Structure formats: C-alpha cells, structure tokens
Amino acid sequence: QVQLVESGGGLVQAGGSLRLSCAASGRTFTRYDMGWFRQAPGKGREFVGRISWTGGNTYYEESVKGRFTISRDNLKNTVYLQMNSLKPEDTATYYCAARIRDLATTEAGSYPYWGQGTQVTVSS
C-alpha cells in the first residue's frame, strides 16, 4: 500500500503559478505510475496528467498542455505538479493518485491509491 499527501494549494491570481507536491510513503515509490486529477464544483473528477515510474514519460490533458508540468523526485518520494498561467477554470481540488503499472488509460478508476486533495483557487 502507499499513502499520498498533497500540499501546495492556495489562492492565486489568474496568470500566476503554483506548485503542488505529493509526498508518498509505504510501498516502493519508484515502481508507481503517478497521476494528477482535479475536481471542480459541479464537475466530475478529471484527468490532469500522469508520469511513469522513472519519469521518462509524461501525459497531459489537452487543456493544460504547455501550462502544467509533472515531475518526480524518487529520492524524495515526491511528485510535483507545476502549474503556470493559471486560469479561473483551473479552480478545483487537486488529487494525486498512484497505480502499480503503467497503463494506457487515464481513467481515475485505474488508480487505487489517492491522496486527500489540496484546494487550488484562481481568482480573475
């Protein structure tokens, strides 16, 4: 099993930047494919991006490409989501998630382990 704790959320103005962190403990961190998801008021949980075990492959939802960057530091057991050029529509609770295998699917149901979420609010 793995435990995940997100941090770094807050209130920022449109156009600003924020970096979220996800600290992992428990199972061997380096063997997990890590994903970021978000859930905005009135919407379901949606895929933001993911990063493979080694960090050699990243994937992003189209609306965040060029603005968000996922990285991981396996020595620190931490995954990051760097968010730039934030927009009000990015306002949501952001969750990190983990799964054992690299899979093609970006469905939330493919990730069995989740953090508690961190709130990101972007003002206009």
Side-chain angles (χ1 to χ4, degrees), residues 103-120:
L103 301 173
T105 182
T106 58
E107 295 180 359
S110 68
Y111 289 83
Y113 308 109
W114 293 81
Q116 83 289 345
T118 185
Q119 179 66 38
V120 172

Side-chain angles (χ1 to χ4, degrees), residues 32-35 47 49-60 70-72 79 99 102-103 111:
Y32 284 85
D33 179 278
M34 303 295 298
F47 171 76
R50 69 181 181 94
I51 188 167
S52 62
W53 290 1
T54 64
N57 298 100
T58 55
Y59 307 85
Y60 300 94
I70 298 173
S71 62
R72 66 190 296 166
V79 175
R99 62 188 180 187
D102 288 345
L103 301 173
Y111 289 83

Side-chain angles (χ1 to χ4, degrees), residues 27-79:
R27 290 281 192 87
T28 303
F29 176 74
T30 56
R31 297 187 178 184
Y32 284 85
D33 179 278
M34 303 295 298
W36 283 97
F37 294 79
R38 66 186 181 185
Q39 187 164 17
K43 299 179 65 177
R45 189 165 299 185
E46 64 179 357
F47 171 76
V48 175
R50 69 181 181 94
I51 188 167
S52 62
W53 290 1
T54 64
N57 298 100
T58 55
Y59 307 85
Y60 300 94
E61 197 275 325
E62 286 295 327
S63 68
V64 306
K65 284 184 177 179
R67 299 190 299 121
F68 291 9
T69 302
I70 298 173
S71 62
R72 66 190 296 166
D73 186 340
N74 290 341
L75 294 178
K76 297 181 179 179
N77 289 350
T78 302
V79 175

Side-chain angles (χ1 to χ4, degrees), residues 7-18:
S7 62
L11 174 64
V12 298
Q13 292 185 329
S17 298
L18 203 62

